[in-house]
Amino acid sequence: MEIVTMVLSLLGGIALFLFGMSLMGDGLKSVAGNKLEAFLYKMTNTSLKGVALGAGVTSVIQSSSATTVMVIGFVNSGMMKLRQAIGIIMGANIGTSITGWILCLSYVGGSSGIASLFSTAMITALFAFIGICLKTFGKRTTHKNVGNIMLGFAILMTGMQQMSGAVSPLRTNETFISMLTMFSNPIMGILVGILFTAVLQSASAAIGILQALSMTGSLTFAAAFPINLGIGIGAACPVLISALSANKNGKRTALEYLINDLFGMIIWSILFYGSNVFMHYSFVNKVMSPVNIALMNTAIRCGNVLVLFWFIPQIEKLLMRIVKDSPEDLEEQADFDLLEERLIPYPALAIAQCHRVMNGMAKKVRNNVNRSMNLINEFKPEKYDKVHRKENLIDKYEARLGSYLMQLTKQALNTEQTRQASLYLHTISDFERIGDHAADIADMSKSINENRMAMSDAAMDELNLVMEAVRESMNMTYHAYLEDDLALARRVSPLGIVIRGLCDEMKLRHVERLSQGNCGLEEGTVFNDLLNSLNRIATHCASSMVALIKIREKDTDIHIHDSKVYAIEGDDYKTTLAEYHEKYDLGQREGRIVSMEDEQVE
């Protein structure tokens, strides 16, 4: 019964500790606002700055995992490069060791007089009282956040005291002492540290418990050292889990967190245990105190960074080898590499590079439209996820191209180059909006699947018919841009007008079905939303093709402010319009229509 009470008391202390640390960290992040993220994003142009900022930010928020997850988000979105992230994560490993020193305050004692004012109980009570006053009576959000910080600190200290009290009876327990001796075996100690921290998902909590165990007077350096090495590796678990849905660079960033501590464990193990064979260090059997544990933790983490900092380029190459790029990834990176800033002073070359990158963007957009429309007939979660991953990539294309073109417009351009740059800016906006509508279609397809909506056969046939027309419009847009085919580009606008008419007619038909009770209201809303998105895709296709044609014209209006379907006058315009009216005539269709197309169709 005594063992059960001890275990429950220890678990309660751990729970209080973790909650206090979380509350304090959240309060600190709220007080800092977005400043910490801004520091991480802007101030990492060198690896040394990255290490310093990583250490500083982690010291504030008391969580290397939170810092690393933040950095994974930056790398995942393309805002930060992998090499920058490596420096920040190294710094985060140093910053998280500060927690051990803060926890030493929970062992401050004072028997009487002035010394008692600095006891753990007094410090905890003072922080708790001030914290609850600020949280309860504070009028400003900042005051309440500071109250959360102080309350979190008080709860953290209380948890540490409870853990220490729970394990204090183990001072004279022979079984416990022999178990600690078993942990002196390096392999066992490392494994225990890894497992322990992986379960707690917090290196700070694991160090805190190790400090509590040191108060029994039975924890020696030989037992604490390998456990400490294992704690760093175990702390990588939440980071690796957070990166499961990230792209390849995000996964590499998460893996860097593990590699830091894995290499550190190997280096320290070889150095210490190898030299101990000859040196027979006298401090191996030294009994550890909370301060000794904090010092050991800081020394190990700082030592890791001092050694590994000089190998950041090699670590980056290793990460690239472990998580390899697919041919598709390499193609995307090759596109962005074309936007070489050294070409900006040479507008003719820079504009040609932009056109090549826009070809790549057009391909990604076309494939994502096909992918999203396929989900309407056959929903697959992995394809839905891919639509949103590619939509993020399309946004990245627009950002990179837009930034490059804006820099280009600051150069001395002739009239033709100015017109090209302006119309390119308009076109990438069209492509990006097409990508947005493809993502909207994917979201609506997911809603249909999750809510088990059942549209009528007539509604599905109409959707499939307009999807066939949109596919043709998107494919023509892609090939016209890729091959600079103006004849093909001129066919997109009349098809866009036909699609707009189809969508208007289908909405009227669907209202009639709703009034007859052949389709539900929820399905009717989604049906209309799908038609709107499909119509907008066709509209933006037509608008981008008008821009492609206008680039060849002299004295054209370069200020295109919206994306309406511009009618392109010409001898064959009415003929093309009539052709598409006949091809996509609702009354001429017989039998079921299923519009499915491979996302990589050429």
Side-chain angles (χ1 to χ4, degrees), residues 57-309:
V57 170
T58 308
S59 298
V60 170
I61 65 176
Q62 296 293 302
S63 173
S64 58
S65 299
T67 303
T68 305
V69 169
M70 206 186 301
V71 172
I72 289 171
F74 287 136
V75 176
N76 195 57
S77 63
M79 295 166 66
M80 184 181 287
K81 292 183 178 179
L82 179 61
R83 187 170 296 194
Q84 292 174 285
I86 293 173
I88 295 173
I89 293 169
M90 285 183 175
N93 269 292
I94 295 175
T96 194
S97 68
I98 300 298
T99 309
W101 292 103
I102 295 172
L103 297 179
C104 290
L105 293 173
S106 66
Y107 300 103
V108 174
S111 56
S112 63
I114 296 176
S116 64
L117 295 176
F118 299 98
S119 67
T120 301
M122 286 298 294
I123 293 171
T124 303
L126 184 63
F127 270 71
F129 179 74
I130 296 173
I132 196 64
C133 286
L134 287 171
K135 185 171 175 61
T136 305
F137 304 111
K139 294 182 179 180
R140 295 175 60 186
T141 304
T142 303
H143 294 158
K144 292 182 182 292
N145 288 329
V146 172
N148 282 336
I149 294 168
M150 301 188 82
L151 280 173
F153 180 78
I155 294 169
L156 178 148
M157 298 285 275
T158 303
M160 281 301 303
Q161 284 295 297
Q162 184 166 328
M163 284 192 285
S164 298
V167 299
S168 60
L170 297 175
R171 293 172 185 266
T172 56
N173 189 294
E174 293 183 5
T175 305
F176 173 72
I177 295 170
S178 64
M179 185 172 67
L180 285 181
T181 306
M182 179 183 68
F183 292 160
S184 299
N185 179 307
I187 297 175
M188 280 297 298
I190 290 169
L191 290 175
V192 166
I194 293 172
L195 183 62
F196 200 41
T197 314
V199 171
L200 291 174
Q201 302 227 334
S202 170
S204 298
I207 291 294
I209 293 171
L210 204 58
Q211 287 177 307
L213 290 175
S214 72
M215 293 300 290
T216 64
S218 306
L219 186 67
T220 63
F221 181 92
F225 183 71
I227 294 175
N228 207 323
L229 294 179
I231 283 172
I233 300 172
C237 283
V239 175
L240 293 172
I241 291 170
S242 73
L244 288 177
S245 59
N247 61 23
K248 291 186 178 179
N249 271 330
K251 288 181 171 66
R252 291 178 185 124
T253 307
L255 198 58
E256 156 60 12
Y257 189 94
L258 173 64
I259 282 177
N260 271 349
D261 288 296
L262 187 61
F263 280 171
M265 182 268 291
I266 294 170
I267 292 167
W268 279 100
S269 297
I270 293 172
L271 286 176
F272 177 73
Y273 292 109
S275 61
N276 189 45
V277 172
F278 304 101
M279 304 294 290
H280 302 293
Y281 297 121
S282 59
F283 58 81
V284 169
N285 295 318
K286 174 183 170 67
V287 175
M288 302 296 282
S289 68
V291 173
N292 294 146
I293 297 292
L295 182 60
M296 176 196 292
N297 186 38
T298 302
I300 288 174
R301 292 177 182 275
C302 288
N304 290 349
V305 174
L306 284 173
V307 174
L308 297 176
F309 179 80

Side-chain angles (χ1 to χ4, degrees), residues 533-551:
S533 289
L534 291 167
N535 181 36
R536 295 308 299 166
I537 288 173
T539 301
H540 285 290
C541 284
S543 177
S544 67
M545 290 298 95
V546 169
L548 180 66
I549 293 166
K550 282 182 175 288
I551 287 173

Side-chain angles (χ1 to χ4, degrees), residues 333-437:
Q333 189 54 49
D335 277 347
F336 293 129
D337 289 342
L338 292 172
L339 299 177
E340 174 58 66
E341 291 193 4
R342 285 173 291 189
L343 294 178
I344 288 177
Y346 309 97
L349 293 175
I351 287 173
Q353 295 297 85
C354 285
H355 191 270
R356 291 175 65 187
V357 177
M358 289 170 71
N359 286 342
M361 185 182 186
K363 181 178 181 180
K364 305 298 182 298
V365 171
R366 190 275 308 265
N367 290 345
N368 225 30
V369 169
N370 277 336
R371 195 177 291 120
S372 66
M373 291 194 295
N374 287 348
L375 293 173
I376 295 175
N377 286 307
E378 186 181 11
F379 185 83
K380 293 182 178 179
E382 64 275 13
K383 293 295 183 184
Y384 169 81
D385 293 337
K386 191 172 183 180
V387 167
H388 280 280
R389 286 201 308 274
K390 295 301 180 183
E391 163 56 16
N392 291 333
L393 176 64
I394 291 165
D395 289 343
K396 188 175 173 183
Y397 266 96
E398 187 204 24
R400 295 285 291 273
L401 279 163
S403 175
Y404 194 80
L405 285 164
M406 291 305 294
Q407 290 181 65
L408 187 58
T409 57
K410 296 176 184 177
Q411 302 297 312
L413 307 180
N414 60 34
T415 304
E416 183 181 353
Q417 290 167 344
T418 301
R419 183 171 65 250
Q420 283 182 310
S422 180
L423 292 174
Y424 280 177
L425 282 167
H426 170 78
T427 302
I428 61 173
S429 177
D430 275 322
F431 286 170
E432 191 275 333
R433 292 297 296 142
I434 291 171
D436 287 344
H437 290 300

